[in-house]
Amino acid sequence: MDTIAIPAINLAVIAPEVVLSVVAMALLLINVFVKSEQKGYLGYLSIAGILGTLLMLIPAWGSSVEGFSGTIIQDNFAIFFKVIFLISAAMSILITDKYLEREGCNQGEIYPLILFATVGMMLMASGTDLMTIFLGLEVLSVSLYVLAGFNRNNIKSNEAGLKYFLLGAFSTGFLLYGMALTYGATGTTKIAKIASYIAMNGVSSSNLMLVAGMILMSTGFAFKVAAAPFHMWTPDVYEGAPTPMTAFMSVGPKAAGFAAFARVLLVALPALKPEWSSLLWVLAVLTMTVGNITALYQQNIKRMLAYSSIAHAGYILVGFTAGNAVGTAGILFYMLSYAFMNIGAFAIIILVGKKGEENSNVSDYAGFGYRHPVLGIAFCIFLFSLAGIPPAAGFIGKFYLFSGAIQAGYIWLAVIGVLNSAASVYYYLRVMVFMYFKEPTEDFEWVKLTPAFVLCLLIAVIGVLVPGVLPGLFLELAQKAVLM
Amino acid sequence: MNQIPILTLLLFLPLVGALLLLALERREGMARVVALCIGLLETVLACSAWFCQCNLPVANAPKGFFLFEDLPWIEALGIRYTIGMDGISLLLVILTALVTVIAMLTSWRSITERVSLHYLLLLAMESGIMGVFLSLDLFLFYLFWELMLIPMFFLIFIWGHGRNIYSAVKFFLYTLIGSLLMLLAIIGIYLIHGSQSGIYSFGLSAILGTQFTSATGLWLYAAFLLAFAVKFPIVPLHTWLPDAHTDAPTAGSVILAGLLLKTGAYGLIRFGYPLFPEAARTLTPLLIVLAVTGIIYASWIAFAQKDMKRLVAYSSVGHMGFVALGIAVWTPVALSGAVLQMVNHGLTTTALFALVGMLDERTHSRQIEDYGGLWGKVPLLSAFFVLFAMASAGLPGLNNFVGEFLILAGSFKVAHIATILAFIGVILPLVYTVRLIQEVIFQEERRPLTLSDLTLREISILAALAIGDLYIGLHPAPLLEILKTPVALLTGGSP
């Protein structure tokens, strides 16, 4: 009788994920014994868990280890993204505690949920099998549905949770169907094997099943990264979700979506590049334009940043369309800087907001820059970075993305991107107009900085300015990470 | 190689000063003094660069550059910290330092709110402008080009009056769209040069020899031209300027007219023409037509203005039209004239904006019809007013005449008709300037005004500028001597 070959497990590959999951489960238990006014400590414990995970990840840089018979990999690409996820999770946790207290929904479960979502994202970035990616996506999504509706006293938050769940489930269906068709066409779900099967058997764009699979998978991912025309859920969910979770959702899951999207298209389906790059071209133009133009009209600042985050997904798609090393490294660099600038901006929004999500219109910022000069300058730095104005990191990121597009010959795409970027400046400036020009109508006395906020803002400002002024190191890391 | 990195000091001294002011947020009197000291120190530094001209030739530096610094910065992308100074940059750097000090002095009393922030922005802007005039790396150039935009935006925005938000946003968007397209062109050049030579670099001297197909070259040049023409401003892209000037605080107008407009012209001289000689030749007729149209049109509109600041703003558009003409024909004489005219315009228009600001401070009106009979009341102010107005109109013996004369003399051989038409543009300013002087200074008083004559601070501002005006007007030879080598190198002759 033949022995059953047990595939090599190699737990070391998923050690960081395991640690983070264990911390999350431990927190769930500890939560039961913590009094409600002390839930904030759970946040610090989860940050300790994140730091521990980071410390495990960093020594792994430079190596490429596979595990679970090639369904998961720990390479530079995955590590780079995982660092982004962990940073965004940690920064979001720093600004969560005070918000929950103010909104009166101080439930400790939020921290483990954030950690579970992070584990899901890490699996997505590491997955080298369509199934692993799907598993990661589900772990992420289920946690996010709960996080979006976490403020159960607030009807908008409930709506956000439900809406995200319905549309998310729907998009997952698309993704899964696309994966099934790809499996049907190539007989495997392993990313590397799909590519080699296509190369060996000369399957090309004439194979409708494969093309349909690619299109459906792209649709599923486009939902996740909020690319137009699959962006409809974004503004409502971002507006309704608790603000720290909006900050988290607009950065981490988006990065995770792009990580998996990139691995599937660039590694598994390079043979279909002409098809998917023209598909992405359309998506990129639509996403940038719809995001920016709609953002111009928003009065609610959370909604404005929601549309702006759609636009930013569009810029990233520009680098993705290029499909070359420069463009892909641009995606990585941009996601990193976007994490800092966007979460920084949301931190300020939480500070300015009042109980019940009040005070979140652009006009409520009148005179804020006078009353709180340092916070005003910090907010300006984030907004300038989002607008892509040097010397902030957002500029270098856009520069790199558009360079990739031009190098690949997509001149018009770059021109459209640049014009979009110019249009976006208007609505970011509008916030500054209110901050500095309009007479203060409020005294902003409720704006109190806690050490956690100071830390989060400090990290964000450093994260925006250092890669902006000295991008060399970060670009090199990004370039090394894209050698998949 | 000189031991002291003068250029780096020039670039970063104002920025360090700006950081210093951040600490002086609440101590406004102190902030003023510190800012002025930094400004004066910067001026001394800029003037000391004058004496480095004997350095030639500097090792590794491109020809004609007597100060040069080159360090690696973002090596992954071939971006270097390359800065250098030749005669053209020298004059503009000195102008920048001088005008910034004057801008600081003009806002000494008129800015009473958020003083430290005001001076901080002035210093930050000085750094940005210095960077534009010194960068020899396209990426670095673009960085500084954008950097000077932000402080200006806030200057108009926070301390402006009237429709300042509208003007600030309009200024920002106009210049931003132009410069973003230039950024794409810069990336395009970088990639084309990289694929041709295998060396990816943004350095100007590396890129200079790149061959473009005529269509590509034309598109790339058009993107550069657009960015520069907005700053210039060349008609029909000038509409942001009168608004921005009118609504800006005096210091803002002074820097805008005295310095920011020069960056467009400088960019065209340093990057536009040398990088794309062929495309530039193709578009020269267009540039000449637009320049001459600008000269005549702006002077015409200036005549109809009731607001003095708007009048000076339109006269700026006209004067910069001459600069555009001088650059467009690209002959040594006209080009020297254009650079000289940039300096002249910087001095004269700065003085005029400062004067209008002083009147505005006293009476809170900039309308011509509110004034009259100043000669008898405030003789000193009137005398300066007449002097600078006549300089602006191109009276021989004063500086603008020299510049305009050289431009016209240099362009006549190349473009007859355009030059003849531009001559009309020499006469028209005389018409509106004489009207301005007559109505404001000499006509009978139309409204009882309580005016005081100039204070010592104001006299020192105007006297410094007047000395500059007279000096260039009477003895421009040393300046032309400085310009001789770089201009000859640019126009393809031997120095």
Side-chain angles (χ1 to χ4, degrees), chain A residues 298-302 304 359-366 427 430-432 434-435:
Chain A
Q298 300 308 316
Q299 297 307 323
N300 182 299
I301 199 159
K302 270 171 90 178
M304 188 198 93
N359 225 41
S360 55
N361 277 346
V362 178
S363 53
D364 295 329
Y365 284 72
Y427 57 83
R430 225 182 89 211
V431 181
M432 291 183 230
F434 277 99
M435 277 203 324

Side-chain angles (χ1 to χ4, degrees), chain A residues 329-348:
Chain A
I331 299 176
L332 269 63
F333 185 88
Y334 201 79
M335 270 328 313
L336 182 67
S337 36
Y338 184 67
F340 290 115
M341 58 203 187
N342 217 36
I343 297 183
F346 273 111
I348 306 259

Side-chain angles (χ1 to χ4, degrees), chain A residues 101-113:
Chain A
E101 235 168 66
R102 185 173 75 210
E103 299 295 330
C105 56
N106 209 352
Q107 314 289 337
E109 286 84 359
I110 195 163
Y111 303 109
L113 279 171

Side-chain angles (χ1 to χ4, degrees), chain B residues 307-358:
Chain B
D307 181 318
M308 284 194 272
K309 230 175 169 183
R310 250 187 135 75
L311 188 148
V312 181
Y314 274 109
S315 86
S316 267
V317 179
H319 288 308
M320 290 310 286
F322 275 103
V323 177
L325 178 65
I327 296 172
V329 296
W330 204 250
T331 61
V333 177
L335 193 60
S336 316
V339 178
L340 199 61
Q341 182 70 354
M342 280 154 70
V343 177
N344 292 335
H345 177 260
L347 295 173
T348 314
T349 315
T350 298
L352 283 174
F353 275 120
L355 273 165
V356 175
M358 289 169 194

